[in-house]
PDB file of all heavy atoms in Angstrom:
ATOM      1  N   PHE A 752     -18.929 -40.774  -0.641  1.00 90.00           N
ATOM      2  CA  PHE A 752     -18.346 -41.298   0.581  1.00 90.00           C
ATOM      3  C   PHE A 752     -18.748 -42.711   0.771  1.00 90.00           C
ATOM      4  O   PHE A 752     -19.991 -43.071   0.806  1.00 90.00           O
ATOM      5  CB  PHE A 752     -18.664 -40.452   1.751  1.00 90.00           C
ATOM      6  CG  PHE A 752     -18.108 -39.065   1.590  1.00 90.00           C
ATOM      7  CD1 PHE A 752     -18.821 -38.040   0.971  1.00 90.00           C
ATOM      8  CD2 PHE A 752     -16.854 -38.737   2.113  1.00 90.00           C
ATOM      9  CE1 PHE A 752     -18.328 -36.714   0.839  1.00 90.00           C
ATOM     10  CE2 PHE A 752     -16.295 -37.463   1.997  1.00 90.00           C
ATOM     11  CZ  PHE A 752     -17.059 -36.500   1.380  1.00 90.00           C
ATOM     12  N   LEU A 753     -17.793 -43.668   0.905  1.00 88.00           N
ATOM     13  CA  LEU A 753     -18.090 -45.104   1.021  1.00 88.00           C
ATOM     14  C   LEU A 753     -17.613 -45.675   2.364  1.00 88.00           C
ATOM     15  O   LEU A 753     -16.524 -45.304   2.818  1.00 88.00           O
ATOM     16  CB  LEU A 753     -17.335 -45.852  -0.107  1.00 88.00           C
ATOM     17  CG  LEU A 753     -17.726 -45.355  -1.530  1.00 88.00           C
ATOM     18  CD1 LEU A 753     -16.763 -45.909  -2.457  1.00 88.00           C
ATOM     19  CD2 LEU A 753     -19.096 -45.665  -1.889  1.00 88.00           C
ATOM     20  N   ASP A 754     -18.376 -46.594   2.923  1.00 86.00           N
ATOM     21  CA  ASP A 754     -17.989 -47.137   4.206  1.00 86.00           C
ATOM     22  C   ASP A 754     -18.837 -48.318   4.497  1.00 86.00           C
ATOM     23  O   ASP A 754     -19.920 -48.585   3.833  1.00 86.00           O
ATOM     24  CB  ASP A 754     -18.122 -46.123   5.311  1.00 86.00           C
ATOM     25  CG  ASP A 754     -17.329 -46.609   6.612  1.00 86.00           C
ATOM     26  OD1 ASP A 754     -16.517 -47.575   6.559  1.00 86.00           O
ATOM     27  OD2 ASP A 754     -17.501 -45.871   7.602  1.00 86.00           O
ATOM     28  N   PHE A 755     -18.386 -49.203   5.347  1.00 82.00           N
ATOM     29  CA  PHE A 755     -19.181 -50.241   5.962  1.00 82.00           C
ATOM     30  C   PHE A 755     -19.662 -49.852   7.261  1.00 82.00           C
ATOM     31  O   PHE A 755     -18.891 -49.259   8.135  1.00 82.00           O
ATOM     32  CB  PHE A 755     -18.306 -51.605   6.060  1.00 82.00           C
ATOM     33  CG  PHE A 755     -17.947 -52.192   4.748  1.00 82.00           C
ATOM     34  CD1 PHE A 755     -16.708 -51.774   4.195  1.00 82.00           C
ATOM     35  CD2 PHE A 755     -18.832 -53.034   4.109  1.00 82.00           C
ATOM     36  CE1 PHE A 755     -16.411 -52.339   2.921  1.00 82.00           C
ATOM     37  CE2 PHE A 755     -18.495 -53.547   2.873  1.00 82.00           C
ATOM     38  CZ  PHE A 755     -17.231 -53.158   2.301  1.00 82.00           C
ATOM     39  N   ALA A 756     -20.924 -50.009   7.506  1.00 82.00           N
ATOM     40  CA  ALA A 756     -21.574 -49.336   8.704  1.00 82.00           C
ATOM     41  C   ALA A 756     -21.402 -50.291   9.883  1.00 82.00           C
ATOM     42  O   ALA A 756     -22.130 -51.345   9.988  1.00 82.00           O
ATOM     43  CB  ALA A 756     -23.048 -49.099   8.394  1.00 82.00           C
ATOM     44  N   GLY A 757     -20.529 -49.976  10.763  1.00 78.00           N
ATOM     45  CA  GLY A 757     -20.407 -50.652  12.053  1.00 78.00           C
ATOM     46  C   GLY A 757     -20.020 -52.162  11.942  1.00 78.00           C
ATOM     47  O   GLY A 757     -19.460 -52.603  11.015  1.00 78.00           O
ATOM     48  N   GLU A 758     -20.478 -52.857  12.950  1.00 83.00           N
ATOM     49  CA  GLU A 758     -20.277 -54.361  13.091  1.00 83.00           C
ATOM     50  C   GLU A 758     -21.145 -55.089  12.077  1.00 83.00           C
ATOM     51  O   GLU A 758     -22.113 -54.531  11.440  1.00 83.00           O
ATOM     52  CB  GLU A 758     -20.640 -54.828  14.454  1.00 83.00           C
ATOM     53  CG  GLU A 758     -19.840 -54.170  15.585  1.00 83.00           C
ATOM     54  CD  GLU A 758     -18.318 -54.400  15.486  1.00 83.00           C
ATOM     55  OE1 GLU A 758     -17.952 -55.609  15.208  1.00 83.00           O
ATOM     56  OE2 GLU A 758     -17.507 -53.522  15.727  1.00 83.00           O
ATOM     57  N   THR A 759     -20.896 -56.320  11.881  1.00 84.00           N
ATOM     58  CA  THR A 759     -21.695 -57.168  10.983  1.00 84.00           C
ATOM     59  C   THR A 759     -23.068 -57.337  11.658  1.00 84.00           C
ATOM     60  O   THR A 759     -23.263 -57.225  12.846  1.00 84.00           O
ATOM     61  CB  THR A 759     -21.039 -58.497  10.671  1.00 84.00           C
ATOM     62  OG1 THR A 759     -20.844 -59.183  11.960  1.00 84.00           O
ATOM     63  CG2 THR A 759     -19.725 -58.403   9.960  1.00 84.00           C
ATOM     64  N   ILE A 760     -24.065 -57.645  10.833  1.00 86.00           N
ATOM     65  CA  ILE A 760     -25.491 -57.873  11.313  1.00 86.00           C
ATOM     66  C   ILE A 760     -25.713 -59.377  11.296  1.00 86.00           C
ATOM     67  O   ILE A 760     -25.374 -60.057  10.259  1.00 86.00           O
ATOM     68  CB  ILE A 760     -26.424 -57.162  10.248  1.00 86.00           C
ATOM     69  CG1 ILE A 760     -26.120 -55.694  10.136  1.00 86.00           C
ATOM     70  CG2 ILE A 760     -27.869 -57.492  10.696  1.00 86.00           C
ATOM     71  CD1 ILE A 760     -26.807 -55.080   8.939  1.00 86.00           C
ATOM     72  N   ALA A 761     -26.215 -59.898  12.313  1.00 89.00           N
ATOM     73  CA  ALA A 761     -26.543 -61.392  12.384  1.00 89.00           C
ATOM     74  C   ALA A 761     -27.881 -61.606  11.673  1.00 89.00           C
ATOM     75  O   ALA A 761     -28.902 -61.087  12.088  1.00 89.00           O
ATOM     76  CB  ALA A 761     -26.625 -61.855  13.838  1.00 89.00           C
ATOM     77  N   VAL A 762     -27.917 -62.338  10.567  1.00 89.00           N
ATOM     78  CA  VAL A 762     -29.185 -62.655   9.840  1.00 89.00           C
ATOM     79  C   VAL A 762     -29.385 -64.169   9.950  1.00 89.00           C
ATOM     80  O   VAL A 762     -28.558 -64.955   9.730  1.00 89.00           O
ATOM     81  CB  VAL A 762     -28.976 -62.266   8.319  1.00 89.00           C
ATOM     82  CG1 VAL A 762     -30.202 -62.721   7.538  1.00 89.00           C
ATOM     83  CG2 VAL A 762     -28.756 -60.744   8.247  1.00 89.00           C
ATOM     84  N   VAL A 763     -30.578 -64.482  10.376  1.00 91.00           N
ATOM     85  CA  VAL A 763     -30.893 -65.851  10.630  1.00 91.00           C
ATOM     86  C   VAL A 763     -31.745 -66.365   9.459  1.00 91.00           C
ATOM     87  O   VAL A 763     -32.812 -65.810   9.131  1.00 91.00           O
ATOM     88  CB  VAL A 763     -31.747 -66.055  11.889  1.00 91.00           C
ATOM     89  CG1 VAL A 763     -32.090 -67.563  12.099  1.00 91.00           C
ATOM     90  CG2 VAL A 763     -30.858 -65.521  13.146  1.00 91.00           C
ATOM     91  N   ASP A 764     -31.341 -67.555   8.846  1.00 88.00           N
ATOM     92  CA  ASP A 764     -32.060 -68.120   7.787  1.00 88.00           C
ATOM     93  C   ASP A 764     -33.386 -68.766   8.392  1.00 88.00           C
ATOM     94  O   ASP A 764     -33.218 -69.631   9.329  1.00 88.00           O
ATOM     95  CB  ASP A 764     -31.241 -69.226   7.116  1.00 88.00           C
ATOM     96  CG  ASP A 764     -31.974 -69.920   5.954  1.00 88.00           C
ATOM     97  OD1 ASP A 764     -33.208 -70.037   5.943  1.00 88.00           O
ATOM     98  OD2 ASP A 764     -31.299 -70.306   5.033  1.00 88.00           O
TER      99      ASP A 764
END
Side-chain angles (χ1 to χ4, degrees):
F752 294 87
L753 304 166
D754 196 7
F755 291 93
E758 301 295 320
T759 58
I760 303 165
V762 176
V763 180
D764 184 328

